[in-house]
Protein backbone atom coordinates (compact mmCIF):
# COMPACT_ATOMS: atom_id res chain seq x y z
CA UNK A 1 0.00 0.00 0.00
CA UNK A 2 1.32 3.46 -0.90
CA UNK A 3 0.34 6.85 0.45
CA UNK A 4 0.50 10.42 -0.84
CA UNK A 5 -1.24 13.66 0.04
CA UNK A 6 -2.58 16.98 -1.16
CA UNK A 7 -4.05 20.25 0.11
CA UNK A 8 -6.66 22.33 -1.71
CA UNK A 9 -5.84 26.02 -1.13
CA UNK A 10 -8.44 28.54 0.03
CA UNK A 11 -8.30 30.31 -3.35
CA UNK A 12 -9.00 27.22 -5.51
CA UNK A 13 -11.33 28.22 -8.39
CA UNK A 14 -13.88 25.49 -7.58
CA UNK A 15 -14.68 26.86 -4.13
CA UNK A 16 -16.89 29.90 -4.83
CA UNK A 17 -20.43 28.60 -4.66
CA UNK A 18 -19.45 25.40 -2.78
CA UNK A 19 -20.78 26.80 -0.37
CA UNK A 20 -20.78 30.58 0.24
CA UNK A 21 -19.47 31.37 3.71
CA UNK A 22 -18.52 27.75 4.39
CA UNK A 23 -16.51 26.37 1.45
CA UNK A 24 -16.35 22.61 0.87
CA UNK A 25 -14.07 20.95 -1.69
CA UNK A 26 -16.25 19.34 -4.42
CA UNK A 27 -15.94 15.55 -4.82
CA UNK A 28 -14.79 15.91 -8.42
CA UNK A 29 -11.78 17.94 -7.24
CA UNK A 30 -10.91 15.26 -4.68
CA UNK A 31 -11.15 12.56 -7.38
CA UNK A 32 -8.99 14.62 -9.76
CA UNK A 33 -6.24 14.70 -7.12
CA UNK A 34 -6.64 10.97 -6.40
CA UNK A 35 -6.25 10.25 -10.13
CA UNK A 36 -3.16 12.48 -10.29
CA UNK A 37 -1.51 10.67 -7.38
CA UNK A 38 -1.74 7.25 -9.08
CA UNK A 39 1.32 8.09 -11.21
CA UNK A 40 3.45 5.60 -13.12
CA UNK A 41 1.52 5.89 -16.38
CA UNK A 42 -1.67 4.59 -14.76
CA UNK A 43 -4.83 5.67 -16.55
CA UNK A 44 -8.23 5.58 -14.86
CA UNK A 45 -10.69 3.88 -17.21
CA UNK A 46 -13.64 3.83 -14.82
CA UNK A 47 -14.90 4.43 -11.34
CA UNK A 48 -16.22 1.18 -9.88
CA UNK A 49 -17.36 2.74 -6.62
CA UNK A 50 -16.82 5.92 -4.62
CA UNK A 51 -18.29 7.13 -1.34
CA UNK A 52 -17.80 10.58 0.12
CA UNK A 53 -18.24 10.19 3.87
CA UNK A 54 -17.20 13.60 5.25
CA UNK A 55 -16.48 17.00 3.69
CA UNK A 56 -12.95 18.11 2.85
CA UNK A 57 -12.36 21.74 3.75
CA UNK A 58 -9.88 24.04 2.01
CA UNK A 59 -6.48 23.97 3.70
CA UNK A 60 -6.92 20.50 5.21
CA UNK A 61 -4.22 17.95 4.41
CA UNK A 62 -5.77 14.91 2.74
CA UNK A 63 -3.80 11.64 2.76
CA UNK A 64 -4.61 9.12 0.06
CA UNK A 65 -3.62 5.48 0.38
CA UNK A 66 -3.76 3.00 -2.49
CA UNK A 67 -4.07 -0.75 -2.55
CA UNK A 68 -4.22 -3.04 -5.59
CA UNK A 69 -7.28 -5.27 -5.56
CA UNK A 70 -6.26 -7.01 -8.79
CA UNK A 71 -4.50 -6.06 -12.04
CA UNK A 72 -7.37 -3.83 -13.14
CA UNK A 73 -8.63 -2.40 -9.86
CA UNK A 74 -7.03 0.05 -7.45
CA UNK A 75 -8.71 0.82 -4.12
CA UNK A 76 -8.18 4.20 -2.48
CA UNK A 77 -8.92 5.74 0.91
CA UNK A 78 -8.76 9.47 1.64
CA UNK A 79 -8.19 10.57 5.23
CA UNK A 80 -8.01 13.86 7.10
CA UNK A 81 -6.07 13.12 10.26
CA UNK A 82 -7.41 9.65 11.15
CA UNK A 83 -10.92 10.14 9.76
CA UNK A 84 -11.90 8.54 6.44
CA UNK A 85 -13.52 11.17 4.23
CA UNK A 86 -13.75 9.23 0.95
CA UNK A 87 -13.06 5.75 -0.38
CA UNK A 88 -13.62 3.76 -3.51
CA UNK A 89 -12.19 1.63 -6.25
CA UNK A 90 -11.03 2.57 -9.71
CA UNK A 91 -10.67 0.55 -12.89
CA UNK A 92 -7.19 1.25 -14.28
CA UNK A 93 -4.97 0.47 -17.24
CA UNK A 94 -1.20 0.68 -17.68
CA UNK A 95 1.53 1.66 -15.33
CA UNK A 96 3.64 -0.15 -12.84
CA UNK A 97 2.23 -1.96 -9.82
CA UNK A 98 1.91 0.50 -6.95
Amino acid sequence: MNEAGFVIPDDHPSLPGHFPGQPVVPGVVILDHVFGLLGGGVQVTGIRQVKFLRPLLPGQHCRVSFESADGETRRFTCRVEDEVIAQGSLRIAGGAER
Side-chain angles (χ1 to χ4, degrees), residues 1-82:
M1 183 185 312
N2 289 326
E3 191 170 280
F6 66 91
V7 175
I8 303 299
D10 293 336
D11 62 350
H12 191 278
S14 71
L15 295 176
H18 289 91
F19 294 90
Q22 193 169 14
V24 174
V25 178
V28 68
V29 174
I30 295 170
L31 284 177
D32 185 53
H33 280 75
V34 168
F35 296 173
L37 292 173
L38 283 167
V42 174
Q43 179 182 10
V44 176
T45 60
I47 299 171
R48 294 185 184 254
Q49 175 188 7
V50 66
K51 290 184 180 184
F52 296 99
L53 304 167
R54 300 279 186 265
L56 176 63
L57 304 178
Q60 288 184 313
H61 185 262
C62 181
R63 291 186 343 264
V64 183
S65 58
F66 296 99
E67 180 180 347
S68 290
D70 60 41
E72 296 178 351
T73 304
R74 192 74 44 91
R75 292 187 188 123
F76 69 91
T77 302
C78 299
R79 288 183 176 82
V80 172
E81 296 180 10
D82 290 329

